[in-house]
């Protein structure tokens, strides 16, 4: 899913939770289209309220590839007003032109990120941080440990994971490797720019 669509879902999160009931056709359609797996469907259905089910779906969708947003739009047949609103907002949002992104100097790319830079990065990431950590070579056990050590603070979990990555890889833990991990998860390039400011 591209950064614009992720941002759109994030900005309308609370509204979608009150408007869309994912129990019915929405989940089944996304499952049929291969966007959701069996375990995703079970995880969503295990939530106690409709709003929590929708929130869980909104957490999962950005991680499900480039077709996820369009499939989500198609699944909203019972909610045409929501689909229309999402499509209008999507048109309004301007996509950052790749030419606007300034190149990062090669000497900067070869350095390790500082604690301050990792903190800034953590502020900009959401649930996708786990996939980024896996791309960088951390294991599911490492991620679990970061979550257990910082149960109530997402930012601390993310920072802990990146610090662990930096400790493990030493000099190989460069901004260039970090950027590659972020790009693999389709994180907006502006996030790296913000980290380096």
């Amino acid at each position: 899913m591209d950064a614009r669509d992720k941002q759109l879902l994030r900005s309308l999160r609370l509204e979608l939770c009150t408007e869309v009931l994912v129990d019915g056709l929405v989940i089944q359609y996304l499952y049929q289209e291969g966007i959701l797996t069996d375990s995703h469907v079970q995880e969503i259905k295990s939530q106690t309220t409709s709003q929590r089910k929708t929130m869980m779906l909104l957490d999962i969708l950005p991680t499900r590839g480039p077709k996820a947003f369009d499939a989500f739009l198609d699944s909203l047949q019972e909610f045409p007003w929501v689909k229309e609103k999402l499509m209008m907002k999507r048109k309004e949002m301007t996509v950052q032109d790749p030419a606007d992104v300034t190149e990062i100097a090669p000497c900067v790319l070869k350095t390790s990120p500082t604690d301050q830079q990792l903190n800034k990065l953590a502020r900009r990431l959401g649930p996708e941080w786990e996939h980024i950590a896996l791309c960088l070579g951390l294991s599911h056990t490492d991620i679990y440990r970061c979550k257990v050590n910082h149960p109530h603070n997402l930012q601390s979990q993310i920072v802990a994971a990146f610090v662990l990555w930096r400790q493990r890889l030493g000099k190989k833990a460069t901004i260039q490797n970090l950027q590659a991990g972020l790009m693999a998860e389709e994180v907006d390039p502006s996030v790296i720019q913000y980290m380096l400011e």
Side-chain angles (χ1 to χ4, degrees):
M1 185 178 292
D2 73 27
R4 172 188 62 172
D5 295 337
K6 286 181 183 178
Q7 182 59 43
L8 176 56
L9 286 180
R10 193 175 295 144
S11 66
L12 293 176
R13 186 178 175 87
L14 294 175
E15 203 172 317
L16 288 169
C17 286
T18 56
E19 295 259 4
V20 178
L21 302 170
V22 299
D23 289 344
L25 292 177
V26 175
I27 291 180
Q28 294 309 318
Y29 182 83
L30 292 170
Y31 177 69
Q32 170 192 301
E33 296 301 307
I35 303 297
L36 297 179
T37 64
D38 275 334
S39 61
H40 289 137
V41 172
Q42 296 311 317
E43 199 173 354
I44 292 166
K45 286 184 172 179
S46 71
Q47 300 303 310
T48 49
T49 65
S50 294
Q51 275 131 342
R52 284 180 183 267
K53 288 176 184 177
T54 306
M55 278 192 188
M56 181 59 70
L57 174 65
L58 293 176
D59 286 342
I60 293 168
L61 272 178
T63 67
R64 299 305 298 155
K67 296 183 183 144
F69 189 82
D70 290 321
F72 178 58
L73 285 179
D74 292 343
S75 75
L76 295 172
Q77 292 156 1
E78 296 174 295
F79 309 96
W81 65 95
V82 177
K83 180 177 180 175
E84 207 170 289
K85 180 163 194 168
L86 281 169
M87 288 167 68
M88 295 245 313
K89 283 274 195 192
R90 193 183 199 191
K91 280 183 189 161
E92 288 170 17
M93 290 180 84
T94 54
V95 184
Q96 187 178 29
D97 183 10
D100 294 347
V101 178
T102 51
E103 281 296 309
I104 301 167
C107 59
V108 174
L109 286 173
K110 287 181 174 41
T111 61
S112 275
T114 64
D115 287 348
Q116 186 182 6
Q117 288 171 329
L118 293 177
N119 255 316
K120 285 176 87 172
L121 176 62
R123 270 185 245 140
R124 285 290 178 97
L125 295 177
E128 72 273 20
W129 76 269
E130 293 180 36
H131 297 281
I132 295 165
L134 291 171
C135 279
L136 293 172
L138 294 185
S139 68
H140 287 285
T141 309
D142 295 329
I143 291 169
Y144 177 74
R145 251 189 230 120
C146 293
K147 288 172 137 180
V148 169
N149 291 341
H150 307 279
H152 305 296
N153 191 330
L154 180 64
Q155 189 175 340
S156 296
Q157 292 172 11
I158 299 170
V159 171
F162 287 133
V163 167
L164 181 61
W165 162 74
R166 196 176 59 191
Q167 287 169 346
R168 286 239 179 101
L169 289 184
K171 288 182 178 171
K172 290 182 183 167
T174 61
I175 289 175
Q176 187 169 14
N177 288 345
L178 184 56
Q179 182 183 31
L182 291 168
M183 288 170 76
E185 280 304 310
E186 299 175 347
V187 174
D188 194 291
S190 65
V191 173
I192 280 270
Q193 296 295 331
Y194 171 77
M195 182 187 95
L196 296 173
E197 281 168 7

